[in-house]
Amino acid sequence: MAEQARPAISSALEAFYQRELAHPDKTYLVQPLGDGSVVSYSWAQVGDQARRMAAYLRSLQFPASSHIALLSRNCAHWIIADLAIWMAGHVSVPVYPTLTADSVRQVLEHSDCRAVFVGKLENWQQLRGGLPEQLPWIALPLGPEDAHLLPWQSLIDANEPWTQTHRVAPTDVATIIYTSGTSGIAKGVMLSFASMYYAANNGLRLFTISEDDRLLSYLPLSNVAERQFVEIASLLSGQTVYFVHSAQTFVEDNRRARPTVFFGVPRIWFKLQQSVLQKVPAGLLNTVLATPLLGPRVARRVLERLGFDQIRYAVSGAAPIDDQLLLWYHRLGMSLVEIYGMTENAGYSHLGRPKRFKSGWIGLPNPGVECRLSGDGELLVRSPANMLGYYKDPVRTAETLDEHGFLHTGDCGAIDNEGFLRITGRRKDTFKTSKGRYVAPAPIEKRLHAHPYIEQACVVGTQLPQPIALIQLSSASIEGVSPVRVEESLSAALLELNGQLNRQEQLACVVVISDAWTVENGFLTPTLKLKRHVVEATYQDQLEYWSVSGRTVVVQ
């Protein structure tokens, strides 16, 4: 009898079914426990637990396509729970674990969630009040201990695996991802199984990914970038996924994984660079790397210590990255490229090409992506990866997706004659000075980030005579450097920068902010992007005073 043809894959769930059958004993997820030990889950073990949890969800008799929330830091059971939600015929709603209790409640209520998985958290007591009492709270294995939580293992033991294979339609809603909100207004982006599949599957082709590749998961799975690059890509390709226990164990966990492909945000790439330069001065390292025989050996040693010696492709996204930082990794032999995308198009838009690096430009459109600029310079993109719309928000959906299917990104850009894209800033971030001149802050901030002492920069200037820059210094870069030397370096950099800017863009001063800008205190999004509106609101009363102080460098 001829072997029955396998059904065509059009979703990550269907891909999982086939992976589970093809190599049930192959390791899929590797979870560190914090005491130096790890636990690994094979594809068969993942499938068994997901099916048992799906059976429990089915027993709750929710209507088809009900919304189930996932509130947890990254861990193996985040992905297992997501699979269970889909197997039960429902829609997953990731919730950032760094939100406040009020924001968690807002997301759960707006999304009409009927249950919530609670996993690995460091702030459970602060978040607990944001969970509606009437919902079932299901604890993942690494979740907090709480009498109100239903233990994962108890539910697994009490339910036989759900044996009916749930098939999804490509146009079904797979997930509702609430944007992390640099503007402070979260929107529920509805992504279909088809859009997530299209974006991830084409990404696998661009990076020539196979089941022999390894991934490290550390950025929030609640964010579209990590969701697509790690979860959906691994389900489609069969990669092994390793998790990070904590920020303190990042390098140790990365060395264990020895990832072959890696996604990071600019701040991560910057901090890793600084960890190297703390041990080897930049000038000495540059000299050694330029030495024909010694350079390649030293470069490989540096990558080995970071856990990146097996990297084939590395990607930076979520915010602009300085070209000099990209080139620093290139000198180490790492193919680090920039990526551009949004939650609204499953993170699928533009990508740098390792052999076609062009300074100042992100890269080329991905396969299947059409892009154009509107009359006022806004980037518009169209592809099968575009969202279905915003949940319960037809007005903003119509504002973002036009009648021709183009997504209005809100980003201003430029496209050269080869098709390379450059982002010049957010339309809503452009401000007007008291002289009536418009200034786009993003290009100025990118130039500031090129300075080795500057870790974060935010250019403001609404109703000021001239813009000013609020900056945070890199503690690693200025260690051992006198405050006078730091101020002299910043003054010289400001003078040089102003010589490259138009008159209305020139900075009156740079202000060194001593307050911490972190995810926990609300200054950064979970993907470490600066929330401009929070910075401006926090220092609003002091901006005018700083701008007319007459000093080029002001220390808060």
Side-chain angles (χ1 to χ4, degrees):
M1 181 181 295
E3 182 180 353
Q4 186 175 2
R6 292 181 179 180
I9 294 175
S10 60
S11 73
L13 180 59
E14 290 166 344
F16 173 78
Y17 292 146
Q18 291 200 10
R19 289 284 165 195
E20 182 187 29
L21 287 173
H23 38 59
D25 298 327
K26 183 179 184 291
T27 297
Y28 176 29
L29 306 174
V30 180
Q31 176 69 55
L33 300 180
D35 57 1
S37 64
V38 299
V39 58
S40 299
Y41 299 94
S42 68
W43 289 86
Q45 290 171 323
V46 168
D48 179 72
Q49 292 200 30
R51 282 185 169 79
R52 290 175 183 271
M53 185 52 64
Y56 168 71
L57 293 176
R58 297 282 299 189
S59 74
L60 299 177
Q61 299 185 336
F62 294 147
S65 301
S66 289
H67 300 166
I68 312 293
L70 269 167
L71 175 62
S72 174
R73 291 189 177 274
N74 295 15
C75 60
H77 281 82
W78 199 106
I79 292 178
I80 297 174
D82 202 16
L83 286 167
I85 293 168
W86 289 339
M87 288 178 179
H90 299 314
V91 176
S92 60
V93 182
V95 182
Y96 283 100
T98 51
L99 294 177
T100 64
D102 288 343
S103 296
V104 169
R105 180 175 290 273
Q106 181 184 25
V107 169
L108 295 179
E109 291 179 349
H110 182 269
S111 61
D112 301 313
C113 279
R114 293 179 175 267
V116 56
F117 285 97
V118 178
K120 187 178 178 183
L121 295 169
E122 298 172 359
N123 54 343
W124 168 239
Q125 291 305 319
Q126 288 75 34
L127 291 181
R128 194 184 190 283
L131 276 64
E133 292 281 342
Q134 70 273 18
L135 299 185
W137 300 0
I138 306 165
L140 302 183
L142 296 180
E145 294 185 5
D146 190 302
H148 194 80
L149 287 164
L150 302 169
W152 176 277
Q153 192 61 48
S154 298
L155 298 178
I156 292 296
D157 292 341
N159 287 274
E160 292 299 316
W162 181 251
T163 56
Q164 297 182 29
T165 300
H166 178 68
R167 301 292 180 188
V168 298
T171 55
D172 287 348
V173 178
T175 190
I176 302 175
I177 301 179
Y178 280 77
T179 58
S180 53
T182 55
S183 64
I185 304 171
K187 296 166 285 190
V189 177
M190 296 184 291
L191 294 177
S192 68
F193 284 100
S195 63
M196 297 176 81
Y197 173 84
Y198 183 86
N201 192 51
N202 279 344
L204 297 179
R205 295 175 180 175
L206 283 167
F207 294 115
T208 60
I209 300 298
S210 76
E211 64 183 38
D212 296 325
D213 281 303
R214 298 181 300 279
L215 292 164
L216 183 75
S217 179
Y218 74 101
L219 289 173
L221 279 164
S222 308
N223 182 270
V224 72
E226 188 83 353
R227 188 84 173 279
Q228 289 293 117
F229 196 86
V230 172
E231 183 194 27
I232 306 304
S234 67
L235 290 171
L236 298 185
S237 67
Q239 299 171 88
T240 300
V241 178
Y242 293 75
F243 292 88
V244 166
H245 173 67
S246 68
Q248 291 70 37
T249 65
F250 175 89
V251 173
E252 175 188 345
D253 295 327
N254 198 46
R255 288 173 180 165
R256 177 189 300 114
R258 285 289 192 262
T260 55
V261 287
F262 187 87
F263 176 81
V265 297
R267 196 173 183 200
I268 293 295
W269 294 116
F270 176 80
K271 285 186 171 295
L272 290 172
Q273 179 203 45
Q274 295 306 304
S275 72
V276 172
L277 298 182
Q278 276 185 295
K279 298 177 180 177
V280 184
L284 175 59
L285 182 59
N286 289 337
T287 300
V288 173
L289 291 177
T291 305
L293 294 178
L294 185 59
R297 292 170 56 191
V298 171
R300 182 168 182 80
R301 184 61 176 159
V302 170
L303 293 178
E304 283 178 353
R305 293 199 172 190
L306 293 174
F308 287 146
D309 55 302
Q310 301 295 314
I311 289 286
R312 293 190 301 105
Y313 287 104
V315 178
S316 178
I321 186 170
D322 178 61
D323 285 349
Q324 293 305 311
L325 186 55
L326 279 175
L327 291 171
W328 186 84
Y329 282 98
H330 290 180
R331 287 198 296 274
L332 293 177
M334 179 185 287
S335 296
L336 178 59
V337 297
E338 194 167 5
I339 194 171
Y340 169 78
M342 303 175 64
T343 307
E344 286 84 346
N345 57 16
Y348 186 78
S349 182
H350 288 70
L351 178 69
R353 307 300 198 265
K355 295 181 180 179
R356 295 187 65 185
F357 174 74
K358 179 175 285 193
S359 181
W361 299 81
I362 293 173
L364 297 166
N366 291 336
V369 172
E370 301 173 70
C371 62
R372 60 176 64 163
L373 298 178
S374 68
D376 59 358
E378 182 182 11
L379 178 66
L380 313 181
V381 295
R382 178 171 66 184
S383 83
N386 281 4
M387 68 174 180
L388 298 173
Y390 295 119
Y391 184 62
K392 295 195 303 190
D393 199 339
V395 173
R396 283 202 283 187
T397 297
E399 291 172 351
T400 306
L401 283 175
D402 65 28
E403 66 273 20
H404 302 294
F406 277 93
L407 173 69
H408 291 238
T409 65
D411 287 319
C412 297
I415 301 172
D416 73 2
N417 56 8
E418 294 182 274
F420 280 80
L421 172 69
R422 171 191 286 148
I423 297 298
T424 57
R426 294 286 292 172
R427 290 179 66 196
K428 63 187 177 185
D429 289 343
T430 299
F431 57 80
K432 186 165 67 172
T433 67
S434 61
K435 298 176 182 178
R437 300 297 183 91
Y438 287 95
V439 175
I444 306 173
E445 291 164 353
K446 186 172 182 179
R447 294 186 183 190
L448 287 166
H449 285 139
H451 193 283
Y453 293 166
I454 298 177
E455 183 169 332
Q456 295 276 11
C458 183
V459 173
V460 298
T462 302
Q463 293 306 307
L464 298 179
Q466 290 293 135
I468 66 174
L470 310 184
I471 65 171
Q472 289 213 314
L473 301 180
S474 165
S475 57
S477 297
I478 64 172
E479 184 177 355
V481 182
S482 70
V484 172
R485 178 70 186 93
V486 171
E487 184 169 338
E488 289 175 347
S489 178
L490 293 175
S491 294
L494 179 61
L495 181 63
E496 180 181 357
L497 174 60
N498 279 342
Q500 301 167 357
L501 298 175
N502 295 325
R503 180 69 186 92
Q504 72 270 19
E505 298 174 317
Q506 293 175 0
L507 302 177
C509 64
V510 294
V511 182
V512 179
I513 302 294
S514 59
D515 305 329
W517 291 348
T518 66
V519 174
E520 290 70 25
N521 64 16
F523 279 88
L524 302 180
T525 72
T527 53
L528 308 181
K529 288 186 287 189
L530 196 61
K531 295 182 179 179
R532 187 180 303 277
H533 69 285
V534 174
V535 174
E536 291 179 335
T538 302
Y539 305 105
Q540 184 62 48
D541 293 341
Q542 298 165 274
L543 297 181
E544 186 173 0
Y545 168 74
W546 288 332
S547 72
V548 298
S549 67
R551 301 186 59 186
T552 55
V553 178
V554 178
V555 180
Q556 181 201 27

